[in-house]
Amino acid sequence: MFVACIDRCSKGCFIFTFFLYFFVFVFLNGYFCKMKWTVWFIFFLLFVHGLTRAQETVIQGTVLNCKTKEPMHLVEVVAWPANKGTATDARGNFSLKVFLSKTDSVFFQYMGFKQKKIAVKKIKQPLVICLSPERKMLNEVEINEKNIRESKLYTEVLSAKALDKVSVVDLGTALREVANVSAIKKGASGVDPVVRGFKFDQLNILINGAAIEGGCPNRMDPPTSHFDVQDVEDIKVFKGPFALQYGTNFGGVILINTVSPVFYPKFEAHFNFTATTQTNHLGNDFSAHIFGGNKWFYYKAGYTQSDLGDYKTGADKIIPGNIHRKGTSFALAFRPGKKQLLTLSGNLSQGKNIDFPTLSMDERKDDTRLYNISYKVARRDKTLNTFYVNFYSAAVNHLMDNKNRPFSDTVTAVSSIKALTRGANLKAGLKLWGGTLGMGMNYRNVFKNGTRDKYLLLQPGLPVKSEKLWNNASTDNVGFFATFEKNVRAVRWTVAGRIDYNMASSGVLQREVDGGGNDTKSHFLNFSCSASVSKKISRRSTLSLSLGSGTRSPNLTERYIILLPVGSDPYDYLGNPYLKPETNYEVDVGYFFHSEKAGDVLAKLFFSYVTHFIGAEFVPAAEMKPATRGVLGVKRFANIPQACLAGFEISWHTPQKTRLHAGVSVNYTAGTNPDANVPVFSYGRIIGTKDIGKDPLPEMPPAECNVYVRYDLFRGRLVPGATLRLVAAQTRISKAYMESASPGFVLMGLGLRYEFRKFISFYGGVKNLFNTNYYEHLNRILVSSGAPLYEPGRIFFIKMKVDL
Amino acid sequence: MKMKKLVLFFTVVLLLMPGCAKYTRKRITYRASQALFPVALTYRDNNGILVSDTFQPAGAQDIWLKDVIMDEGDIIYLSGKYNNIENSVLLEVLIDGKIYKQNSSKGDTVNYLIVSGTIPYQNN
């Protein structure tokens, strides 16, 4: 089978390229042993699998208005149940490349026209479809969650194709491709996304519908850290507290999807392989996936591995940046009936010896296992048209220590934490009252337990002090939601509401310094609601307005952490079991302009008013002393009465059908705490606080502008491109959090994509072309020197992708 | 026949894979020397247990040695104490035959002499 495949794929070229790349890879890295392993793994997959070339179905055709016989522009063409779609161009033409079974259908829909469904087995190409105007179009056009929520005004999508153009390992870094998404960086990995200034548990990050709670109190292992970019099929970002069906939503939702089952008319088997290597931050990233199936079942299995070393900044300073991570994944999907889908999936990730120079410890070992089972029914013509249920379990075993730090010669600290997340989601979609009613529930349980052992190396008998970081802390959240979407006179309305019951508890906070508060239980009933309306104000322009309030309960760190420096400032933080939930009242205004000639313009403005904002208050030294060496004092998580955030995102992109692809985006966010205070010191100890009035919120990204240009040569086989990133200096800094201003910087990158054969492509280039010495404002401070964590200087990279 | 070849191939692959695993085990040598009189020693073994021993030198050239196999990142610890004010001792910890840390004392009957640390990660 393998030989047959190679014959079809031009055997000589394939072998030449494969071995050329192999030798480049080996010599660049000097990781012969690892490469040997890697190559063996590829051969293993190739032989196991019996490769066959992909046989995608390409459906091409034209859509006309039955009445006028004129071509119809922007008709939605959707393959079902693959759920892949496209839209017609100005001449009514479309081309849809998708894996299809004979039992599948293709839908054509356009507002004001009767929807048409064509069975795949009846399609004779080229296809000419005509749509008839429909008087009762408002009841006939399907207004589902996808139509509304996934329009550009509400959702931003990073597809696998877009992620291919990103030569990074970390998902958090890849998310920076989305406008107004920045990230907090503490080390080589675990880059934590920030959406419009909202971060950590203010964002609901889900992987295939499942949540993962990391073990580290300092978020070395945020949910995005457990997956390689190459594992991801697509990422959707919902900004604001408007999408309420995915769980508690305070500031935004990030949906990461690693499984998109595709069913084939006959059994097919496919293989893809990606390898990236780079200079500076020297190392490689490798992934291999096998997938395939027939019309009833689908399977996918993959392996990813990343090994990167230290890196040099633009000023030739070496920063610890080791990453050693590998992951395996699998998915099995079955179609018990034509419109049913049962999916089982698992993601196992292991990290080892990952450097976090801004924290007092490094990640020594991380073992994460996520299992998910889901069942879905999609019946387009029934009242109950969708039903979805999933159950998941995520276990994280996290080990970190300070053994690579100079002070480990005095006290070696080792922390071991276990975090378990279990949950379920249930959703039903009903066609009612001319619209779509969605309702369901989400349940999530998080459990954490962990200790820190301190070995006092210079004391006789090697005494070991053991202290609890988490004492059997757990939280349960059950929520019920309902959404209703309807078209009324060409205006799309969406209303949503949810109610959450949250309860949390922890074992006794054993430190003597915890103030004696042994009553750690708390429970809250939270309400969230949102309403969105979008109206097509002209043939090319759409305007939207969204109002929403999202409430979230404090997380386990905010409730129960015991004297650890988990913030951006040099203070030990103490959890507060008596915190109240914080609520984000947000208004968004959006404008979208689409033109075949001028391209797309998207502009969004937002304003957030947050009540009971979860910040921190100073604790006088007389009341409590810090437990970490080098910090200035202790802060306790507390509710700040109010805070405001506001900002905008504006972007323009050229039309997709031109050879020149270019775009510009500008975004900005500012946050203010109207009633801040700073500590008053006396002989180095906090003795009180002083009001300073208005103070910017900490960790707000500066204004940023991104520009890209690409040009398709030789029918898109050769695509040179360039990127420019201009980041302004951040001078709106929080005095209460002792922030420092950060300078602005300009980065330029060059890239070249070359499609050698249909199944082999290369992408190479240079990042930070001018070797700029810079750091992001949200990067944390190095523990060793107090200097900011600088980013890598110039990096040359090459990436190869084989897709069979 | 084809199946047999595949099975054979996988077997070879699986046998070769472990050969590429990184060798992270280290030979740790605890060494005490330059003592004239008995020294009470305590060292940390490969199970993390503190073991007590006594170095009873027959002469100034006598050496006390203990070899243990440990992993990168493991804590190493060797302490010594003596009661004779005319005594002295040199404590050393060697990793794969190379001196990693050492400490010595002469005539100090009050303090423990300690050599400790963690085995460095080569990968970093």
Side-chain angles (χ1 to χ4, degrees):
Chain A
M1 290 283 271
F2 175 67
V3 174
C5 163
I6 295 300
D7 279 337
R8 284 199 299 273
C9 307
S10 176
K11 183 162 56 178
C13 295
F14 178 85
I15 292 170
F16 172 76
T17 312
F18 189 87
F19 283 98
L20 175 73
Y21 188 80
F22 170 70
F23 285 115
V24 169
F25 211 57
V26 169
F27 283 110
L28 269 177
N29 292 288
Y31 285 162
F32 183 75
C33 197
K34 276 179 191 164
M35 269 313 296
K36 193 165 76 172
W37 199 98
T38 305
V39 172
W40 278 121
F41 188 78
I42 297 163
F43 282 118
F44 171 82
L45 292 174
L46 291 174
F47 274 83
V48 167
H49 213 57
L51 288 167
T52 56
R53 283 188 70 184
Q55 295 293 327
E56 283 178 311
T57 306
V58 180
I59 302 170
Q60 291 177 313
T62 308
V63 181
L64 305 173
N65 183 328
C66 288
K67 199 173 178 181
T68 63
K69 304 297 177 194
E70 287 177 352
M72 290 181 67
H73 183 205
L74 289 178
V75 175
E76 196 180 354
V77 184
V78 181
W80 190 265
N83 219 4
K84 302 266 173 162
T86 185
T88 56
D89 61 17
R91 295 176 181 175
N93 296 326
F94 70 91
S95 177
L96 181 61
K97 198 174 178 185
V98 66
F99 295 102
L100 283 173
S101 137
K102 284 179 182 174
T103 55
D104 292 348
S105 303
V106 179
F107 284 83
F108 300 85
Q109 52 196 18
Y110 189 79
M111 194 180 287
F113 287 76
K114 194 172 181 182
Q115 184 189 68
K116 194 161 252 183
K117 173 185 170 186
I118 307 281
V120 165
K121 60 187 175 188
K122 291 180 181 173
I123 289 178
K124 288 177 184 174
Q125 301 207 54
L127 197 59
V128 178
I129 298 288
C130 77
L131 298 184
S132 307
E134 175 61 39
R135 282 182 185 177
K136 293 180 180 177
M137 59 95 178
L138 296 180
N139 291 333
E140 294 294 317
V141 174
E142 190 189 18
I143 312 155
N144 58 21
E145 172 195 314
K146 191 175 179 66
N147 288 343
I148 290 187
R149 286 293 182 198
E150 297 186 10
S151 73
K152 286 189 175 180
L153 281 164
Y154 298 100
T155 318
E156 284 171 66
V157 180
L158 268 179
S159 63
K161 200 175 173 183
L163 289 167
D164 265 354
K165 293 167 192 158
V166 180
S167 64
V168 292
V169 177
D170 200 284
L171 260 185
T173 309
L175 275 163
R176 283 176 169 161
E177 297 288 309
V178 179
N180 222 347
V181 175
S182 38
I184 292 172
K185 187 174 177 180
K186 297 165 188 163
S189 179
V191 181
D192 218 346
V194 176
V195 178
R196 289 179 168 177
F198 293 114
K199 58 189 186 251
F200 306 157
D201 279 12
Q202 291 175 329
L203 303 172
N204 184 12
I205 302 174
L206 301 173
I207 295 95
N208 301 327
I212 297 182
E213 180 81 13
C216 175
N218 245 319
R219 291 179 73 93
M220 276 181 188
D221 53 346
T224 50
S225 69
H226 304 293
F227 302 90
D228 192 284
V229 170
Q230 301 302 330
D231 262 337
V232 175
E233 301 270 358
D234 58 68
I235 303 173
K236 289 172 189 156
V237 180
F238 298 80
K239 294 171 184 168
F242 311 116
L244 299 178
Q245 62 270 47
Y246 303 105
T248 305
N249 180 8
F250 178 84
V253 179
I254 298 175
L255 302 180
I256 298 163
N257 176 30
T258 67
V259 182
S260 292
V262 176
F263 296 94
Y264 307 90
K266 290 180 181 176
F267 179 80
E268 287 184 28
H270 301 273
F271 168 77
N272 70 42
F273 154 66
T274 307
T276 310
T277 188
Q278 62 185 34
T279 63
N280 198 359
H281 210 184
L282 184 69
N284 58 65
D285 181 49
F286 159 81
S287 74
H289 292 90
I290 53 173
F291 59 97
N294 61 18
K295 61 183 177 182
W296 296 116
F297 84 96
Y298 166 83
Y299 68 92
K300 181 183 177 185
Y303 176 81
T304 60
Q305 184 172 323
S306 303
D307 293 286
L308 299 177
D310 297 340
Y311 65 80
K312 276 186 183 176
T313 65
D316 275 352
K317 189 181 174 188
I318 293 175
I319 303 287
N322 278 282
I323 301 174
H324 304 285
R325 189 175 286 286
K326 57 186 176 182
T328 49
S329 59
F330 73 87
L332 290 170
F334 305 93
R335 288 170 78 175
K338 282 182 182 176
K339 293 170 182 176
Q340 299 173 52
L341 183 65
L342 177 67
T343 309
L344 293 143
S345 64
N347 295 79
L348 317 175
S349 153
Q350 289 176 315
K352 190 182 167 191
N353 297 343
I354 300 177
D355 291 333
F356 286 86
T358 70
L359 303 178
S360 55
M361 290 187 176
D362 297 307
E363 180 178 303
R364 196 56 55 209
K365 195 179 172 188
D366 183 273
D367 188 350
T368 300
R369 290 154 197 263
L370 168 66
Y371 298 102
N372 199 331
I373 179 168
S374 68
Y375 175 72
K376 185 180 178 182
V377 182
R379 305 183 301 177
R380 280 180 86 87
D381 304 321
K382 307 282 183 181
T383 302
L384 177 65
N385 68 339
T386 57
F387 177 79
Y388 171 80
V389 60
N390 86 319
F391 299 91
Y392 62 88
S393 168
V396 177
N397 285 297
H398 188 80
L399 187 72
M400 51 195 184
D401 63 47
N402 68 348
K403 289 176 179 175
N404 262 359
R405 308 304 174 88
F407 44 88
S408 70
D409 277 356
T410 313
V411 178
T412 296
V414 180
S415 297
S416 176
I417 298 159
K418 186 174 187 178
L420 289 172
T421 313
R422 285 160 292 201
N425 297 296
L426 178 72
K427 293 176 193 174
L430 296 98
K431 281 190 169 182
L432 283 175
W433 308 306
T436 302
L437 175 70
M439 51 203 293
M441 61 86 73
N442 317 99
Y443 170 73
R444 187 186 300 180
N445 165 263
V446 179
F447 170 84
K448 277 185 175 185
N449 196 27
T451 53
R452 177 169 59 185
D453 295 327
K454 286 180 174 174
Y455 296 83
L456 309 178
L457 296 185
L458 297 183
Q459 294 195 22
L462 191 60
V464 182
K465 275 190 177 179
S466 195
E467 52 199 28
K468 282 277 186 189
L469 290 179
W470 303 105
N471 190 2
N472 295 312
S474 78
T475 176
D476 289 271
N477 197 97
V478 59
F480 298 90
F481 67 86
T483 63
F484 186 68
E485 298 162 357
K486 188 176 181 177
N487 263 20
V488 180
R489 294 177 185 171
V491 177
R492 282 185 170 178
W493 291 86
T494 307
V495 290
R498 72 174 288 124
I499 182 169
D500 287 281
Y501 181 68
N502 181 284
M503 50 191 171
S505 65
S506 168
V508 175
L509 306 180
Q510 288 180 341
R511 292 263 185 94
E512 292 173 4
V513 291
D514 68 0
N518 291 337
D519 180 16
T520 60
K521 287 183 182 173
S522 57
H523 52 91
F524 302 106
L525 193 62
N526 301 327
F527 297 93
S528 302
C529 59
S530 70
S532 301
V533 56
S534 68
K535 180 177 169 58
K536 203 157 184 169
I537 53 175
S538 74
R539 197 163 61 90
R540 291 172 176 160
S541 304
T542 309
L543 199 61
S544 72
L545 173 70
S546 301
L547 300 164
S549 76
T551 303
R552 74 159 187 111
S553 299
N555 64 23
L556 287 177
T557 303
E558 292 154 349
R559 278 164 159 155
Y560 302 126
I561 194 67
I562 309 171
L563 293 182
L564 273 183
V566 295
S568 58
D569 49 0
Y571 285 87
D572 264 352
Y573 275 71
L574 188 67
N576 181 355
Y578 311 111
L579 279 174
K580 291 174 187 169
E582 59 179 354
T583 303
N584 174 22
Y585 299 93
E586 186 169 325
V587 55
D588 274 34
V589 179
Y591 172 75
F592 180 61
F593 173 84
H594 173 82
S595 162
E596 279 296 312
K597 289 182 180 174
D600 294 351
V601 175
L602 182 66
K604 291 185 198 172
L605 289 163
F606 71 93
F607 176 79
S608 278
Y609 174 72
V610 182
T611 56
H612 296 127
F613 185 85
I614 297 176
E617 62 186 9
F618 296 96
V619 180
E623 189 180 327
M624 198 171 297
K625 287 175 186 169
T628 306
R629 197 169 61 173
V631 300
L632 297 176
V634 175
K635 276 185 167 183
R636 182 191 290 119
F637 282 105
N639 291 108
I640 294 169
Q642 54 191 339
C644 302
L645 293 96
F648 64 85
E649 297 122 32
I650 301 171
S651 65
W652 167 78
H653 301 278
T654 52
Q656 287 193 340
K657 304 230 164 179
T658 57
R659 292 170 72 183
L660 175 72
H661 303 276
V664 183
S665 66
V666 182
N667 45 263
Y668 178 67
T669 301
T672 306
N673 173 8
D675 191 20
N677 53 52
V678 292
V680 176
F681 289 92
S682 174
Y683 299 104
R685 301 177 74 184
I686 299 172
I687 55 166
T689 58
K690 184 178 77 176
D691 290 342
I692 56 168
K694 279 187 181 179
D695 188 41
L697 288 176
E699 301 198 299
M700 287 289 142
E704 181 172 334
C705 174
N706 286 282
V707 183
Y708 72 86
V709 182
R710 292 193 303 274
Y711 194 80
D712 291 351
L713 294 167
F714 306 108
R715 295 181 181 177
R717 288 187 63 194
L718 187 68
V719 185
T723 58
L724 188 67
R725 183 164 173 242
L726 301 100
V727 178
Q730 180 59 291
T731 52
R732 288 192 90 255
I733 48 169
S734 169
K735 288 178 188 167
Y737 284 80
M738 299 178 68
E739 268 198 309
S740 300
S742 59
F745 56 87
V746 178
L747 297 178
M748 189 173 178
L750 296 175
L752 181 69
R753 174 179 294 278
Y754 174 50
E755 192 181 286
F756 180 69
R757 286 287 183 273
K758 277 194 173 176
F759 58 95
I760 297 182
S761 60
F762 294 90
Y763 180 48
V766 54
K767 293 187 276 190
N768 191 1
L769 179 67
F770 302 117
N771 203 24
T772 307
N773 191 35
Y774 77 103
Y775 63 91
E776 306 277 353
H777 179 72
L778 299 188
N779 285 8
R780 291 278 172 92
I781 305 294
L782 294 175
V783 169
S784 55
S785 63
L789 175 63
Y790 276 81
E791 295 282 347
R794 187 186 298 114
I795 298 178
F796 292 94
F797 66 92
I798 183 166
K799 180 176 184 176
M800 184 183 83
K801 187 166 187 183
V802 176
D803 208 339
L804 297 168
Chain B
M1 191 61 190
K2 200 174 179 180
M3 199 63 202
K4 281 183 182 174
K5 281 183 182 174
L6 283 174
V7 171
L8 183 66
F9 175 77
F10 300 145
T11 310
V12 172
V13 168
L14 290 171
L15 286 171
L16 285 170
M17 278 179 179
C20 282
K22 284 238 165 188
Y23 188 75
T24 58
R25 308 226 88 186
K26 301 284 176 190
R27 184 169 57 87
I28 304 300
T29 306
Y30 293 118
R31 187 161 73 184
S33 60
Q34 298 179 8
L36 299 169
F37 303 99
V39 181
L41 299 171
T42 306
Y43 66 92
R44 193 171 192 266
D45 72 4
N46 51 348
N47 296 315
I49 296 167
L50 288 180
V51 180
S52 297
D53 200 354
T54 305
F55 173 31
Q56 292 182 315
Q61 303 302 315
D62 208 359
I63 292 173
W64 175 91
L65 285 172
K66 197 75 191 176
D67 277 348
V68 288
I69 301 297
M70 293 176 130
D71 286 322
E72 286 180 359
D74 278 354
I75 291 170
I76 44 182
Y77 178 88
L78 174 64
S79 71
K81 195 167 189 313
Y82 49 82
N83 298 318
N84 193 326
I85 201 161
E86 292 177 359
N87 204 356
S88 64
V89 70
L90 169 67
L91 300 184
E92 294 165 299
V93 177
L94 293 82
I95 299 177
D96 288 338
K98 292 179 182 171
I99 293 175
Y100 174 57
K101 286 190 173 183
Q102 61 179 11
N103 205 350
S104 64
S105 76
K106 192 171 183 180
D108 184 353
T109 56
V110 177
N111 296 309
Y112 279 81
L113 181 65
I114 297 171
V115 181
S116 60
T118 54
I119 302 172
Y121 290 95
Q122 266 189 346
N123 222 6
N124 284 357

